[in-house]
Amino acid sequence: MTVARTICLGFLAVIAVGTILLMMPFSTSNGTWNDLIVALFTSTSAVCVTGLSVVDPGTYFSFWGQLFIVLLAQIGGLGYMTTTTFLILLVGRKFDLRHKMAIQQALDRPGMSGSTQVIRSIIATTLIFEITGAFLLLPAFVPKYGWSQGLWLAIFHSVNAWNNAGFSLFKDNLIGYQSSFLVVFTITGLIIFGGIGYQVILEMYFWLRDRLTKKTVNLVFSLDFKVATITTIFLLLIGTIVFWAIEIRNPQTFGNLSFREQLLVAWFQSVTPRTAGFNTIDIGKMTNAGLFITIALMFIGASPGGTGGGIKTTTLRVITSCTKTILQGKEEVLLYERKIATSLILKAVGVLLGSITTVIVSTILISITDPELDFIQIMFEVVSAFATVGLSTGITANVTIAAKLILIMTMYIGRVGVLLLMSAVLGDPRPSRIRYPEENVLVG
């Protein structure tokens, strides 16, 4: 079995186990057997760290059902191979060559050396951020809900925020906390760091450590770090400004809020499409322009190595740099004075084309199964599923079973990745030694 098939089947196995657990009577609040579609949709949404839901998790599921959702989101956020490797480390087993290759492909690492240390660092980073997030959320939840329920709410939302899952135990998601500095900045902080990638966090840690210890050796940031951080900051700032400018006249979202609350909501709405799924306003009441901007941000998504989805910030930068190179009449694609390899450019184009194709096909199919829905609502739902975001205009629970199954498949494709899934289906690509003559073709 190829490495790609191992990873893809691993995610399917976790989804299947999650579906069985969520179907059990002890997982529902009324103590009856759960509906298969509800259990399958929720399990897929959790493992694919999406957050789309056909029911209200806070009232539909019991504590055990909510716990299973958190665990599935944790596994999905870490990734199947990372979780499996961690379990192997716990029992003291050694890795074989195939397992090391699977880790390399799952983490998108250039080599197989140091995989064990990387896994340990990922687990440690995850626990540090999730525990810190839970403690920061306690003052917001404990006074209103008490220690036991408040602690559980803090843990649940911290884990979901870090893993960019977006499940909430509140019926209105986080709309009730739209003016809370503590909740807004804790949740958005977890979303940003969870989606920016473990390598970026580790480089940031080493840089801070060197500055605090006053080491003379200056750390040179990697190209991944520069692309991920600068692109993320740019998109967050632009998103905040654009959402505020577009929705300020909409009384159903921003219009009736104070300037301070408008900035908080605009900031949150800029962060959450990257790909978390929490919301502090009613998404269904946004203007069409606001919905389209959200679709664009969701499609771009987070950064490689993080818990978010989308085509990734690096893919966006490579594609835009290619366009810039063409317009300047140059032949080499450069990013921060570094030449981008042709193989990476081809990979970026493949990711973009595969992602657009998936979104188009899924949108067409749901338009056929649910013709009464607005087109922008369908596209919004599809992009949210593919980019593993979880934001919704409110149609998720009301679509047909066929549409739910399409969204389930879309979430799965978005989580494992278009290229990895194609590799699993077609087999690992084999380089050819045949060289063909070059010829020009009219383009544009």
Side-chain angles (χ1 to χ4, degrees):
M1 184 182 295
T2 63
V3 172
R5 286 175 186 168
T6 300
I7 297 172
C8 291
L9 291 176
F11 273 106
L12 287 177
V14 177
I15 290 172
V17 172
T19 302
I20 295 171
L21 291 174
L22 291 175
M23 282 186 65
M24 296 298 171
F26 53 77
S27 292
T28 58
S29 56
N30 58 10
T32 59
W33 287 88
N34 196 359
D35 179 76
L36 174 60
I37 297 298
V38 173
L40 176 61
F41 194 99
T42 306
S43 177
T44 305
S45 184
V47 174
C48 297
V49 291
T50 306
L52 285 176
S53 183
V54 293
V55 295
D56 176 20
T59 57
Y60 187 88
F61 291 102
S62 65
F63 167 77
W64 291 107
Q66 295 170 10
L67 179 62
F68 293 145
I69 291 174
V70 167
L71 293 176
L72 291 172
Q74 187 74 83
I75 294 172
L78 289 172
Y80 165 72
M81 287 310 306
T82 302
T83 306
T84 304
T85 304
F86 178 64
L87 294 176
I88 290 175
L89 289 173
L90 285 180
V91 297
R93 287 180 54 189
K94 294 183 178 181
F95 305 142
D96 55 18
L97 180 60
R98 181 175 292 274
H99 195 94
K100 289 182 179 180
M101 291 175 62
I103 296 172
Q104 175 196 0
Q105 189 160 352
L107 299 179
D108 199 16
R109 285 173 54 80
M112 291 183 289
S113 61
S115 297
T116 304
Q117 289 77 10
V118 171
I119 296 297
R120 289 196 177 103
S121 299
I122 290 174
I123 299 297
T125 303
T126 298
L127 291 176
I128 289 171
F129 273 91
E130 288 179 348
I131 293 172
T132 303
F135 272 109
L136 290 175
L137 291 173
L138 284 177
F141 299 146
V142 169
K144 184 176 181 180
Y145 297 97
W147 268 104
S148 58
Q149 181 67 5
L151 177 61
W152 174 237
L153 288 171
I155 293 173
F156 187 92
H157 288 85
S158 178
V159 173
N160 274 274
W162 169 258
N163 290 292
N164 280 216
F167 283 100
S168 176
L169 298 182
F170 302 115
K171 184 163 287 189
D172 61 352
N173 208 280
L174 295 177
I175 294 178
Y177 294 92
Q178 64 180 193
S179 60
S180 171
F181 271 96
L182 180 63
V183 173
V184 166
F185 283 103
T186 300
I187 295 295
T188 54
L190 289 169
I191 292 169
I192 293 170
F193 282 105
I196 205 168
Y198 297 103
Q199 179 180 337
V200 172
I201 295 174
L202 290 177
E203 286 193 43
M204 200 177 299
Y205 163 75
F206 289 133
W207 180 81
L208 287 172
R209 185 194 63 183
D210 292 345
R211 294 297 293 264
L212 292 174
T213 56
K214 298 181 179 179
K215 285 190 175 181
T216 55
V217 179
N218 292 324
L219 175 67
V220 178
F221 289 118
S222 66
L223 185 59
D224 281 326
F225 180 93
K226 294 176 182 177
V227 172
T229 53
I230 294 175
T231 307
T232 297
I233 293 171
F234 174 80
L235 291 174
L236 291 177
L237 292 177
I238 293 298
T240 301
I241 296 170
V242 170
F243 278 122
W244 180 80
I246 289 176
E247 295 291 329
I248 190 172
R249 293 183 179 87
N250 185 353
Q252 295 179 305
T253 55
F254 285 38
N256 294 326
L257 301 177
S258 65
F259 180 70
R260 167 185 169 277
E261 290 173 333
Q262 288 175 353
L263 291 180
L264 281 177
V265 171
W267 165 254
F268 196 95
Q269 188 57 33
S270 178
V271 173
T272 193
R274 314 291 315 288
T275 57
F278 290 109
N279 59 281
T280 55
I281 57 173
D282 188 342
I283 301 298
K285 294 179 180 177
M286 293 179 68
T287 61
N288 284 340
L291 290 176
F292 195 79
I293 293 297
T294 306
I295 289 173
L297 290 175
M298 289 193 299
F299 188 73
I300 295 170
S303 300
T307 56
I311 64 171
K312 310 297 187 185
T313 54
T314 47
T315 302
L316 173 68
R317 289 299 300 275
V318 169
I319 296 297
T320 53
S321 295
C322 286
T323 305
K324 180 182 177 182
T325 299
I326 294 171
L327 294 176
Q328 292 178 339
K330 298 179 180 179
E331 296 183 355
E332 291 184 345
V333 179
L334 302 177
L335 263 176
Y336 302 106
E337 300 180 346
R338 293 293 185 272
K339 180 182 176 181
I340 304 300
T342 304
S343 59
L344 290 179
I345 297 173
L346 295 176
K347 184 177 180 180
V349 172
V351 169
L352 181 63
L353 182 60
S355 301
I356 292 175
T357 302
T358 303
V359 169
I360 291 175
V361 171
S362 298
T363 302
I364 292 172
L365 291 176
I366 296 181
S367 297
I368 295 172
T369 60
D370 296 65
E372 72 283 357
L373 296 175
D374 291 337
F375 174 76
I376 195 165
Q377 287 183 315
I378 297 174
M379 176 173 277
F380 191 98
E381 203 80 6
V382 168
V383 174
S384 180
F386 173 76
T388 69
V389 180
L391 290 175
S392 175
T393 56
I395 67 172
T396 314
N398 301 319
V399 298
T400 60
I401 293 178
K404 288 185 177 75
L405 293 175
I406 294 169
L407 288 174
I408 287 172
M409 182 56 66
T410 306
M411 286 189 286
Y412 175 73
I413 295 174
R415 181 63 187 93
V416 299
V418 175
L419 297 186
L420 186 68
L421 183 62
M422 291 300 296
S423 180
V425 174
L426 302 177
D428 290 334
R430 296 180 180 179
S432 174
R433 294 183 179 180
I434 301 176
R435 295 291 180 266
Y436 296 95
E438 184 179 297
E439 186 172 347
N440 290 329
V441 62
L442 296 177
V443 176

